[in-house]
Amino acid sequence: MRSVGTLTRADFAETINRKMGLSRAESLDLVESILNTMVDALDNGENVKISGFGSFVLRDKNERVGRNPKTGVEVPITPRRVLTFRASQLLKERIAQS
């Protein structure tokens, strides 16, 4: 597996700055606005789909019994909501080609 770096909010803002000509502050505000919209939707229980990229999907997991692998002691795992990402077919194909 290849490890390159981390893509940050500043990287997104820099790309918007270069390609669209917005100022750095406007670009960063745009990135923050998009991310806040996504977070608000997820917080309200909505899934977020970005065409050609993928979907952020919320799942509710039921209570279950887990086991400490070291000691073997059974421990109840509380119900919770988890966030998963499902890549679109386009993204999967593009990754497979590189």
Side-chain angles (χ1 to χ4, degrees):
M1 180 166 242
R2 199 173 107 184
S3 176
V4 180
T6 302
L7 186 61
T8 65
R9 293 171 189 217
D11 295 333
F12 281 123
E14 179 64 29
T15 300
I16 292 169
N17 172 260
R18 275 187 282 117
K19 293 194 176 201
M20 299 189 71
L22 297 175
S23 72
R24 290 183 193 275
E26 289 172 327
S27 299
L28 196 53
D29 285 345
L30 180 62
V31 170
E32 290 297 329
S33 176
I34 291 168
L35 293 175
N36 285 334
T37 301
M38 291 173 61
V39 169
D40 289 344
L42 291 166
D43 194 37
N44 291 330
E46 302 172 46
N47 294 330
V48 175
K49 180 178 180 178
I50 303 172
S51 284
F53 183 72
S55 299
F56 295 91
V57 180
L58 291 168
R59 279 188 38 219
D60 291 321
K61 293 185 123 186
N62 295 325
E63 183 174 0
R64 63 188 175 89
V65 176
R67 189 180 314 274
N68 182 330
K70 202 170 196 178
T71 63
V73 174
E74 289 187 353
V75 179
I77 299 173
T78 58
R80 64 198 181 284
R81 179 172 278 175
V82 295
L83 177 65
T84 59
F85 176 75
R86 292 188 187 152
S88 72
Q89 194 59 40
L90 260 160
L91 179 59
K92 288 178 185 178
E93 289 169 1
R94 185 160 176 192
I95 298 298
Q97 290 174 357
S98 39

